[in-house]
Amino acid sequence: MLLDLDRFKWVNDSLGHLAGDDLLQRIAKRFLSCVRTGDTVARLGGDEFAVLLEDYGKSSKVIEIANRLQQEAQRPLLIVNTDVHVSASIGIILNTGNYLTTEAILRDADIAMYRAKELGKARFQIFNRKLHELASQALQLENELREGIHSNELLLFYQPIIDIQTRSLVAFEALVRWDHPRLGIVSPNTFIPIAEETGLIIGLGEWVLREACKQMQRWRAIHPKVAGIKINVNLSAKQFLQKDLGQFVRSTLEKTGLDPSLLKLEITESAIMEGGNKTVDLLGDLQKIGIKLAIDDFGTGYSSLSSLQQFPINDLKIDRSFVKELAAQEESKEIVRTIIALAHTLNLGLVAEGVETEEQFNILKELKCDCAQGYLFSKPLPVGNVEGVLDKYIP
Ligand code: C2E
Ligand code: CA
Ligand code: CA
């Protein structure tokens, strides 16, 4: 079995490394108490453990132990006067008889463990053929993405963001697509996670920013109407771990000549929280040179309202899940009302995402939301189709 602790990073970051070490030692002792004398419990590194159970015969026995390990991981630990709750994601290989190398066993246990994490953590997953296929498909897609980035298969679509009071265009959000030679247009929901896991996101993110700024300059050159329109670009949490992100953004603006005040970067709450103070500082620096910042998918993360006040941001984008239920659920309307009141108190602009119906639009208008984005106005469009939006939404 391979065990990876869920939320360990959080303990390390919030309570410090000594607390993290303490937790690992105590959890390791608990794990030892779950197995027989001849079995092995090892720490592989970080918060990852391997458990080798020998000659158990019945798989139900193994599952029983997996459950016990899970319970031991979940039992609260008192660390630095704090009750700490973690859990474990466990990947299990039931039969190692067919394996030729230890590496192959660990690789498949790792695949199963990741699957357990993907399925919501705090659970175990037994390795099987299907998982093997999924993993090799993911590997193939990764290699194709690497190739695709080099051979210019990426492109940007643009979705208008509309001022609710005037129904006029205020910005475009750039949304990346992959024009795959075999699969056609691939959604970013499929390939961004792969890019993030493999580090390809850095090059991909740089390309997106450069291309979006260039495109904006092209439009500005040919359409006088585009003058005040902003461009929103998504940044992945992983891009903040890069130390020269600030420098890259600045040099991209210089090279393309785009005015910093026309660029808005969209980041999720969790990206800011994970990056900690360094990210907050970096955002502050970007804001000083005039770039605007928006929190994406607002309401789905876990930032506290008090930390919101400390983030250097300009806009909140209300997540689509709230807008979707706006007309049907009174609660969603109340949540949106509260987010809007909060944003106005903090002097933040607001964009409602995923507005699909006039009914949703009218409720947002009544609630005094600033801007809306969604299929009601337009889907994300390839460059060639943006002309129509300019004519329709710029007076
Ligand atoms: P997001 O930033 O929340 O982008 C909005 C998503 O909602 C887009 O999906 C858009 O097509 C979709 N959408 C917009 N209006 C509506 C609507 O009315 N109804 C519905 N059902 N959906 C609507 P898309 O383009 O598939 O992008 C998915 C996600 O991929 C984005 O979510 C963003 O997190 C990520 N992404 C896209 N482009 C980039 C990029 O260049 N860099 C990074 N790091 N992430 C990106
Ligand atoms: Ca976004
Ligand atoms: Ca969003």
Side-chain angles (χ1 to χ4, degrees), residues 3-11 23 27 47 70 73-74 84-90 113-114 116-118 120-124:
L3 286 89
D4 189 279
L5 299 183
D6 311 313
R7 282 171 49 86
F8 176 72
K9 194 183 163 325
W10 177 85
V11 175
L23 180 136
I27 293 253
D47 55 354
Q70 185 62 261
Q74 288 184 359
V84 174
H85 297 259
V86 294
S87 55
S89 296
I90 309 177
M113 191 268 286
Y114 264 97
K117 279 214 187 274
E118 271 173 13
K121 303 182 177 167
R123 53 183 294 153
F124 65 80

PDB file of all heavy atoms in Angstrom, residues 3-11 23 27 47 70 73-74 84-90 113-114 116-118 120-124:
ATOM      1  N   LEU A   3       0.503   5.190   1.094  1.00  0.00           N
ATOM      2  CA  LEU A   3      -0.384   6.113   1.810  1.00  0.00           C
ATOM      3  C   LEU A   3       0.133   7.526   1.680  1.00  0.00           C
ATOM      4  O   LEU A   3       1.329   7.770   1.865  1.00  0.00           O
ATOM      5  CB  LEU A   3      -0.413   5.785   3.305  1.00  0.00           C
ATOM      6  CG  LEU A   3      -1.157   4.565   3.783  1.00  0.00           C
ATOM      7  CD1 LEU A   3      -0.226   3.383   3.760  1.00  0.00           C
ATOM      8  CD2 LEU A   3      -1.658   4.804   5.188  1.00  0.00           C
ATOM      9  N   ASP A   4      -0.750   8.427   1.373  1.00  0.00           N
ATOM     10  CA  ASP A   4      -0.361   9.829   1.328  1.00  0.00           C
ATOM     11  C   ASP A   4      -1.324  10.590   2.232  1.00  0.00           C
ATOM     12  O   ASP A   4      -2.532  10.403   2.158  1.00  0.00           O
ATOM     13  CB  ASP A   4      -0.457  10.323  -0.119  1.00  0.00           C
ATOM     14  CG  ASP A   4       0.144  11.702  -0.275  1.00  0.00           C
ATOM     15  OD1 ASP A   4      -0.546  12.687   0.049  1.00  0.00           O
ATOM     16  OD2 ASP A   4       1.296  11.793  -0.713  1.00  0.00           O
ATOM     17  N   LEU A   5      -0.774  11.398   3.119  1.00  0.00           N
ATOM     18  CA  LEU A   5      -1.649  12.128   4.038  1.00  0.00           C
ATOM     19  C   LEU A   5      -2.303  13.297   3.315  1.00  0.00           C
ATOM     20  O   LEU A   5      -1.640  14.051   2.600  1.00  0.00           O
ATOM     21  CB  LEU A   5      -0.850  12.643   5.239  1.00  0.00           C
ATOM     22  CG  LEU A   5      -0.178  11.567   6.095  1.00  0.00           C
ATOM     23  CD1 LEU A   5       0.520  12.200   7.289  1.00  0.00           C
ATOM     24  CD2 LEU A   5      -1.200  10.539   6.572  1.00  0.00           C
ATOM     25  N   ASP A   6      -3.595  13.451   3.500  1.00  0.00           N
ATOM     26  CA  ASP A   6      -4.314  14.594   2.942  1.00  0.00           C
ATOM     27  C   ASP A   6      -4.179  15.746   3.945  1.00  0.00           C
ATOM     28  O   ASP A   6      -4.224  15.522   5.144  1.00  0.00           O
ATOM     29  CB  ASP A   6      -5.800  14.251   2.750  1.00  0.00           C
ATOM     30  CG  ASP A   6      -5.987  12.920   2.018  1.00  0.00           C
ATOM     31  OD1 ASP A   6      -5.314  12.718   1.004  1.00  0.00           O
ATOM     32  OD2 ASP A   6      -6.793  12.086   2.489  1.00  0.00           O
ATOM     33  N   ARG A   7      -4.029  16.919   3.459  1.00  0.00           N
ATOM     34  CA  ARG A   7      -3.954  18.120   4.312  1.00  0.00           C
ATOM     35  C   ARG A   7      -2.666  18.243   5.117  1.00  0.00           C
ATOM     36  O   ARG A   7      -2.571  19.080   6.015  1.00  0.00           O
ATOM     37  CB  ARG A   7      -5.150  18.173   5.289  1.00  0.00           C
ATOM     38  CG  ARG A   7      -6.429  18.661   4.601  1.00  0.00           C
ATOM     39  CD  ARG A   7      -7.658  18.520   5.465  1.00  0.00           C
ATOM     40  NE  ARG A   7      -7.520  19.034   6.807  1.00  0.00           N
ATOM     41  CZ  ARG A   7      -7.713  20.277   7.170  1.00  0.00           C
ATOM     42  NH1 ARG A   7      -8.050  21.167   6.288  1.00  0.00           N
ATOM     43  NH2 ARG A   7      -7.572  20.634   8.419  1.00  0.00           N
ATOM     44  N   PHE A   8      -1.674  17.428   4.821  1.00  0.00           N
ATOM     45  CA  PHE A   8      -0.438  17.557   5.586  1.00  0.00           C
ATOM     46  C   PHE A   8       0.237  18.905   5.320  1.00  0.00           C
ATOM     47  O   PHE A   8       0.767  19.564   6.214  1.00  0.00           O
ATOM     48  CB  PHE A   8       0.534  16.425   5.251  1.00  0.00           C
ATOM     49  CG  PHE A   8       1.863  16.574   5.945  1.00  0.00           C
ATOM     50  CD1 PHE A   8       1.973  16.368   7.302  1.00  0.00           C
ATOM     51  CD2 PHE A   8       2.988  16.959   5.234  1.00  0.00           C
ATOM     52  CE1 PHE A   8       3.188  16.535   7.952  1.00  0.00           C
ATOM     53  CE2 PHE A   8       4.208  17.130   5.878  1.00  0.00           C
ATOM     54  CZ  PHE A   8       4.310  16.915   7.239  1.00  0.00           C
ATOM     55  N   LYS A   9       0.193  19.321   4.060  1.00  0.00           N
ATOM     56  CA  LYS A   9       0.832  20.587   3.677  1.00  0.00           C
ATOM     57  C   LYS A   9       0.231  21.736   4.486  1.00  0.00           C
ATOM     58  O   LYS A   9       0.929  22.651   4.908  1.00  0.00           O
ATOM     59  CB  LYS A   9       0.616  20.824   2.175  1.00  0.00           C
ATOM     60  CG  LYS A   9       1.503  21.896   1.598  1.00  0.00           C
ATOM     61  CD  LYS A   9       1.192  22.135   0.131  1.00  0.00           C
ATOM     62  CE  LYS A   9       1.737  23.441  -0.402  1.00  0.00           C
ATOM     63  NZ  LYS A   9       1.763  24.570   0.497  1.00  0.00           N
ATOM     64  N   TRP A  10      -1.066  21.629   4.704  1.00  0.00           N
ATOM     65  CA  TRP A  10      -1.747  22.671   5.463  1.00  0.00           C
ATOM     66  C   TRP A  10      -1.181  22.755   6.895  1.00  0.00           C
ATOM     67  O   TRP A  10      -0.950  23.847   7.421  1.00  0.00           O
ATOM     68  CB  TRP A  10      -3.257  22.384   5.496  1.00  0.00           C
ATOM     69  CG  TRP A  10      -4.017  23.368   6.322  1.00  0.00           C
ATOM     70  CD1 TRP A  10      -4.496  24.583   5.911  1.00  0.00           C
ATOM     71  CD2 TRP A  10      -4.347  23.248   7.704  1.00  0.00           C
ATOM     72  NE1 TRP A  10      -5.094  25.220   6.955  1.00  0.00           N
ATOM     73  CE2 TRP A  10      -5.026  24.428   8.067  1.00  0.00           C
ATOM     74  CE3 TRP A  10      -4.138  22.268   8.669  1.00  0.00           C
ATOM     75  CZ2 TRP A  10      -5.497  24.656   9.360  1.00  0.00           C
ATOM     76  CZ3 TRP A  10      -4.612  22.496   9.953  1.00  0.00           C
ATOM     77  CH2 TRP A  10      -5.282  23.667  10.295  1.00  0.00           C
ATOM     78  N   VAL A  11      -0.945  21.579   7.500  1.00  0.00           N
ATOM     79  CA  VAL A  11      -0.386  21.546   8.857  1.00  0.00           C
ATOM     80  C   VAL A  11       0.997  22.198   8.853  1.00  0.00           C
ATOM     81  O   VAL A  11       1.308  23.064   9.682  1.00  0.00           O
ATOM     82  CB  VAL A  11      -0.252  20.086   9.367  1.00  0.00           C
ATOM     83  CG1 VAL A  11       0.446  20.044  10.721  1.00  0.00           C
ATOM     84  CG2 VAL A  11      -1.615  19.424   9.443  1.00  0.00           C
ATOM     85  N   LEU A  23       3.792  15.431  13.788  1.00  0.00           N
ATOM     86  CA  LEU A  23       2.646  14.709  13.241  1.00  0.00           C
ATOM     87  C   LEU A  23       3.097  13.437  12.518  1.00  0.00           C
ATOM     88  O   LEU A  23       2.542  12.361  12.739  1.00  0.00           O
ATOM     89  CB  LEU A  23       1.876  15.628  12.286  1.00  0.00           C
ATOM     90  CG  LEU A  23       0.642  15.006  11.638  1.00  0.00           C
ATOM     91  CD1 LEU A  23      -0.511  15.984  11.671  1.00  0.00           C
ATOM     92  CD2 LEU A  23       0.881  14.582  10.207  1.00  0.00           C
ATOM     93  N   ILE A  27       1.949   9.727  13.649  1.00  0.00           N
ATOM     94  CA  ILE A  27       1.118   8.938  12.725  1.00  0.00           C
ATOM     95  C   ILE A  27       1.847   7.639  12.373  1.00  0.00           C
ATOM     96  O   ILE A  27       1.243   6.569  12.280  1.00  0.00           O
ATOM     97  CB  ILE A  27       0.811   9.745  11.449  1.00  0.00           C
ATOM     98  CG1 ILE A  27      -0.084  10.932  11.779  1.00  0.00           C
ATOM     99  CG2 ILE A  27       0.227   8.861  10.363  1.00  0.00           C
ATOM    100  CD1 ILE A  27      -1.509  10.816  11.331  1.00  0.00           C
ATOM    101  N   ASP A  47       5.042  13.272   2.998  1.00  0.00           N
ATOM    102  CA  ASP A  47       3.968  12.695   3.811  1.00  0.00           C
ATOM    103  C   ASP A  47       3.512  11.380   3.197  1.00  0.00           C
ATOM    104  O   ASP A  47       2.354  11.014   3.276  1.00  0.00           O
ATOM    105  CB  ASP A  47       2.801  13.671   3.942  1.00  0.00           C
ATOM    106  CG  ASP A  47       2.291  14.117   2.581  1.00  0.00           C
ATOM    107  OD1 ASP A  47       2.914  13.749   1.556  1.00  0.00           O
ATOM    108  OD2 ASP A  47       1.281  14.821   2.541  1.00  0.00           O
ATOM    109  N   GLN A  70      -6.668   3.916   7.928  1.00  0.00           N
ATOM    110  CA  GLN A  70      -7.447   5.126   7.676  1.00  0.00           C
ATOM    111  C   GLN A  70      -7.986   5.722   8.985  1.00  0.00           C
ATOM    112  O   GLN A  70      -7.877   6.928   9.222  1.00  0.00           O
ATOM    113  CB  GLN A  70      -8.599   4.760   6.733  1.00  0.00           C
ATOM    114  CG  GLN A  70      -9.431   5.910   6.275  1.00  0.00           C
ATOM    115  CD  GLN A  70      -8.618   6.898   5.482  1.00  0.00           C
ATOM    116  OE1 GLN A  70      -8.186   7.917   6.021  1.00  0.00           O
ATOM    117  NE2 GLN A  70      -8.374   6.600   4.220  1.00  0.00           N
ATOM    118  N   ALA A  73      -5.248   7.333  10.926  1.00  0.00           N
ATOM    119  CA  ALA A  73      -4.837   8.619  10.344  1.00  0.00           C
ATOM    120  C   ALA A  73      -5.832   9.712  10.719  1.00  0.00           C
ATOM    121  O   ALA A  73      -5.468  10.857  10.962  1.00  0.00           O
ATOM    122  CB  ALA A  73      -4.715   8.503   8.826  1.00  0.00           C
ATOM    123  N   GLN A  74      -7.116   9.300  10.807  1.00  0.00           N
ATOM    124  CA  GLN A  74      -8.159  10.316  11.019  1.00  0.00           C
ATOM    125  C   GLN A  74      -8.380  10.688  12.476  1.00  0.00           C
ATOM    126  O   GLN A  74      -9.022  11.691  12.760  1.00  0.00           O
ATOM    127  CB  GLN A  74      -9.484   9.828  10.414  1.00  0.00           C
ATOM    128  CG  GLN A  74      -9.444   9.854   8.894  1.00  0.00           C
ATOM    129  CD  GLN A  74     -10.762   9.485   8.277  1.00  0.00           C
ATOM    130  OE1 GLN A  74     -11.726   9.189   8.967  1.00  0.00           O
ATOM    131  NE2 GLN A  74     -10.812   9.491   6.960  1.00  0.00           N
ATOM    132  N   VAL A  84      -5.574  18.615  15.413  1.00  0.00           N
ATOM    133  CA  VAL A  84      -5.299  18.536  13.980  1.00  0.00           C
ATOM    134  C   VAL A  84      -5.989  17.306  13.392  1.00  0.00           C
ATOM    135  O   VAL A  84      -5.905  16.213  13.940  1.00  0.00           O
ATOM    136  CB  VAL A  84      -3.779  18.450  13.735  1.00  0.00           C
ATOM    137  CG1 VAL A  84      -3.500  18.227  12.261  1.00  0.00           C
ATOM    138  CG2 VAL A  84      -3.101  19.717  14.212  1.00  0.00           C
ATOM    139  N   HIS A  85      -6.690  17.526  12.290  1.00  0.00           N
ATOM    140  CA  HIS A  85      -7.372  16.415  11.617  1.00  0.00           C
ATOM    141  C   HIS A  85      -6.749  16.188  10.262  1.00  0.00           C
ATOM    142  O   HIS A  85      -6.740  17.084   9.435  1.00  0.00           O
ATOM    143  CB  HIS A  85      -8.856  16.730  11.430  1.00  0.00           C
ATOM    144  CG  HIS A  85      -9.583  16.884  12.722  1.00  0.00           C
ATOM    145  ND1 HIS A  85     -10.361  15.902  13.262  1.00  0.00           N
ATOM    146  CD2 HIS A  85      -9.630  17.918  13.600  1.00  0.00           C
ATOM    147  CE1 HIS A  85     -10.865  16.307  14.412  1.00  0.00           C
ATOM    148  NE2 HIS A  85     -10.436  17.533  14.635  1.00  0.00           N
ATOM    149  N   VAL A  86      -6.225  15.012  10.037  1.00  0.00           N
ATOM    150  CA  VAL A  86      -5.775  14.669   8.686  1.00  0.00           C
ATOM    151  C   VAL A  86      -6.475  13.380   8.265  1.00  0.00           C
ATOM    152  O   VAL A  86      -7.273  12.817   9.024  1.00  0.00           O
ATOM    153  CB  VAL A  86      -4.236  14.486   8.595  1.00  0.00           C
ATOM    154  CG1 VAL A  86      -3.510  15.778   8.848  1.00  0.00           C
ATOM    155  CG2 VAL A  86      -3.758  13.404   9.534  1.00  0.00           C
ATOM    156  N   SER A  87      -6.203  12.941   7.066  1.00  0.00           N
ATOM    157  CA  SER A  87      -6.724  11.652   6.619  1.00  0.00           C
ATOM    158  C   SER A  87      -5.692  11.088   5.653  1.00  0.00           C
ATOM    159  O   SER A  87      -4.697  11.757   5.363  1.00  0.00           O
ATOM    160  CB  SER A  87      -8.084  11.828   5.930  1.00  0.00           C
ATOM    161  OG  SER A  87      -7.979  12.757   4.888  1.00  0.00           O
ATOM    162  N   ALA A  88      -5.926   9.876   5.194  1.00  0.00           N
ATOM    163  CA  ALA A  88      -4.958   9.282   4.279  1.00  0.00           C
ATOM    164  C   ALA A  88      -5.652   8.820   3.011  1.00  0.00           C
ATOM    165  O   ALA A  88      -6.784   8.338   3.042  1.00  0.00           O
ATOM    166  CB  ALA A  88      -4.263   8.103   4.944  1.00  0.00           C
ATOM    167  N   SER A  89      -4.961   8.987   1.885  1.00  0.00           N
ATOM    168  CA  SER A  89      -5.411   8.391   0.633  1.00  0.00           C
ATOM    169  C   SER A  89      -4.504   7.200   0.382  1.00  0.00           C
ATOM    170  O   SER A  89      -3.281   7.326   0.455  1.00  0.00           O
ATOM    171  CB  SER A  89      -5.315   9.389  -0.515  1.00  0.00           C
ATOM    172  OG  SER A  89      -6.191  10.467  -0.275  1.00  0.00           O
ATOM    173  N   ILE A  90      -5.117   6.062   0.107  1.00  0.00           N
ATOM    174  CA  ILE A  90      -4.334   4.823   0.057  1.00  0.00           C
ATOM    175  C   ILE A  90      -4.497   4.124  -1.291  1.00  0.00           C
ATOM    176  O   ILE A  90      -5.604   3.942  -1.781  1.00  0.00           O
ATOM    177  CB  ILE A  90      -4.801   3.853   1.179  1.00  0.00           C
ATOM    178  CG1 ILE A  90      -4.826   4.579   2.538  1.00  0.00           C
ATOM    179  CG2 ILE A  90      -3.903   2.610   1.234  1.00  0.00           C
ATOM    180  CD1 ILE A  90      -5.360   3.709   3.689  1.00  0.00           C
ATOM    181  N   MET A 113      -3.168   5.321  -5.664  1.00  0.00           N
ATOM    182  CA  MET A 113      -3.251   6.322  -4.593  1.00  0.00           C
ATOM    183  C   MET A 113      -3.749   7.662  -5.139  1.00  0.00           C
ATOM    184  O   MET A 113      -4.599   8.314  -4.542  1.00  0.00           O
ATOM    185  CB  MET A 113      -1.868   6.449  -3.945  1.00  0.00           C
ATOM    186  CG  MET A 113      -1.822   7.234  -2.683  1.00  0.00           C
ATOM    187  SD  MET A 113      -1.474   8.918  -3.044  1.00  0.00           S
ATOM    188  CE  MET A 113       0.252   8.806  -3.444  1.00  0.00           C
ATOM    189  N   TYR A 114      -3.237   8.051  -6.316  1.00  0.00           N
ATOM    190  CA  TYR A 114      -3.703   9.296  -6.930  1.00  0.00           C
ATOM    191  C   TYR A 114      -5.187   9.236  -7.252  1.00  0.00           C
ATOM    192  O   TYR A 114      -5.921  10.206  -7.113  1.00  0.00           O
ATOM    193  CB  TYR A 114      -2.885   9.639  -8.183  1.00  0.00           C
ATOM    194  CG  TYR A 114      -1.794  10.592  -7.831  1.00  0.00           C
ATOM    195  CD1 TYR A 114      -0.502  10.146  -7.568  1.00  0.00           C
ATOM    196  CD2 TYR A 114      -2.073  11.948  -7.659  1.00  0.00           C
ATOM    197  CE1 TYR A 114       0.485  11.026  -7.175  1.00  0.00           C
ATOM    198  CE2 TYR A 114      -1.101  12.833  -7.269  1.00  0.00           C
ATOM    199  CZ  TYR A 114       0.180  12.360  -7.033  1.00  0.00           C
ATOM    200  OH  TYR A 114       1.138  13.238  -6.630  1.00  0.00           O
ATOM    201  N   ALA A 116      -7.364   7.533  -5.621  1.00  0.00           N
ATOM    202  CA  ALA A 116      -8.068   7.699  -4.341  1.00  0.00           C
ATOM    203  C   ALA A 116      -8.181   9.183  -4.010  1.00  0.00           C
ATOM    204  O   ALA A 116      -9.221   9.663  -3.553  1.00  0.00           O
ATOM    205  CB  ALA A 116      -7.340   6.945  -3.230  1.00  0.00           C
ATOM    206  N   LYS A 117      -7.125   9.926  -4.277  1.00  0.00           N
ATOM    207  CA  LYS A 117      -7.158  11.378  -4.028  1.00  0.00           C
ATOM    208  C   LYS A 117      -8.182  12.054  -4.929  1.00  0.00           C
ATOM    209  O   LYS A 117      -8.991  12.863  -4.483  1.00  0.00           O
ATOM    210  CB  LYS A 117      -5.782  11.994  -4.287  1.00  0.00           C
ATOM    211  CG  LYS A 117      -4.819  11.814  -3.140  1.00  0.00           C
ATOM    212  CD  LYS A 117      -3.882  13.024  -3.009  1.00  0.00           C
ATOM    213  CE  LYS A 117      -2.817  12.756  -1.970  1.00  0.00           C
ATOM    214  NZ  LYS A 117      -3.241  13.080  -0.601  1.00  0.00           N
ATOM    215  N   GLU A 118      -8.122  11.689  -6.206  1.00  0.00           N
ATOM    216  CA  GLU A 118      -9.044  12.299  -7.175  1.00  0.00           C
ATOM    217  C   GLU A 118     -10.494  12.044  -6.797  1.00  0.00           C
ATOM    218  O   GLU A 118     -11.366  12.877  -7.015  1.00  0.00           O
ATOM    219  CB  GLU A 118      -8.827  11.693  -8.561  1.00  0.00           C
ATOM    220  CG  GLU A 118      -7.802  12.376  -9.405  1.00  0.00           C
ATOM    221  CD  GLU A 118      -7.546  11.593 -10.683  1.00  0.00           C
ATOM    222  OE1 GLU A 118      -8.337  10.676 -11.021  1.00  0.00           O
ATOM    223  OE2 GLU A 118      -6.547  11.882 -11.338  1.00  0.00           O
ATOM    224  N   GLY A 120     -11.787  11.995  -4.075  1.00  0.00           N
ATOM    225  CA  GLY A 120     -12.246  12.758  -2.910  1.00  0.00           C
ATOM    226  C   GLY A 120     -11.436  12.526  -1.647  1.00  0.00           C
ATOM    227  O   GLY A 120     -11.844  12.942  -0.574  1.00  0.00           O
ATOM    228  N   LYS A 121     -10.286  11.893  -1.742  1.00  0.00           N
ATOM    229  CA  LYS A 121      -9.389  11.704  -0.581  1.00  0.00           C
ATOM    230  C   LYS A 121     -10.024  10.850   0.514  1.00  0.00           C
ATOM    231  O   LYS A 121     -11.162  10.413   0.382  1.00  0.00           O
ATOM    232  CB  LYS A 121      -8.965  13.066  -0.010  1.00  0.00           C
ATOM    233  CG  LYS A 121      -8.286  13.925  -1.053  1.00  0.00           C
ATOM    234  CD  LYS A 121      -7.830  15.239  -0.474  1.00  0.00           C
ATOM    235  CE  LYS A 121      -7.094  16.022  -1.554  1.00  0.00           C
ATOM    236  NZ  LYS A 121      -6.873  17.402  -1.193  1.00  0.00           N
ATOM    237  N   ALA A 122      -9.251  10.649   1.595  1.00  0.00           N
ATOM    238  CA  ALA A 122      -9.699   9.860   2.747  1.00  0.00           C
ATOM    239  C   ALA A 122     -10.344   8.539   2.339  1.00  0.00           C
ATOM    240  O   ALA A 122     -11.404   8.163   2.825  1.00  0.00           O
ATOM    241  CB  ALA A 122     -10.673  10.675   3.615  1.00  0.00           C
ATOM    242  N   ARG A 123      -9.730   7.840   1.391  1.00  0.00           N
ATOM    243  CA  ARG A 123     -10.292   6.576   0.954  1.00  0.00           C
ATOM    244  C   ARG A 123      -9.180   5.728   0.355  1.00  0.00           C
ATOM    245  O   ARG A 123      -8.082   6.204   0.132  1.00  0.00           O
ATOM    246  CB  ARG A 123     -11.382   6.813  -0.074  1.00  0.00           C
ATOM    247  CG  ARG A 123     -10.928   7.686  -1.242  1.00  0.00           C
ATOM    248  CD  ARG A 123     -12.035   7.965  -2.193  1.00  0.00           C
ATOM    249  NE  ARG A 123     -12.441   6.745  -2.847  1.00  0.00           N
ATOM    250  CZ  ARG A 123     -13.662   6.528  -3.320  1.00  0.00           C
ATOM    251  NH1 ARG A 123     -14.579   7.448  -3.212  1.00  0.00           N
ATOM    252  NH2 ARG A 123     -13.963   5.396  -3.914  1.00  0.00           N
ATOM    253  N   PHE A 124      -9.508   4.465   0.094  1.00  0.00           N
ATOM    254  CA  PHE A 124      -8.492   3.660  -0.578  1.00  0.00           C
ATOM    255  C   PHE A 124      -8.979   3.237  -1.947  1.00  0.00           C
ATOM    256  O   PHE A 124     -10.174   3.273  -2.236  1.00  0.00           O
ATOM    257  CB  PHE A 124      -8.096   2.440   0.278  1.00  0.00           C
ATOM    258  CG  PHE A 124      -9.202   1.445   0.488  1.00  0.00           C
ATOM    259  CD1 PHE A 124      -9.516   0.523  -0.517  1.00  0.00           C
ATOM    260  CD2 PHE A 124      -9.916   1.403   1.680  1.00  0.00           C
ATOM    261  CE1 PHE A 124     -10.532  -0.399  -0.335  1.00  0.00           C
ATOM    262  CE2 PHE A 124     -10.933   0.490   1.864  1.00  0.00           C
ATOM    263  CZ  PHE A 124     -11.248  -0.419   0.853  1.00  0.00           C
TER     264      PHE A 124
END
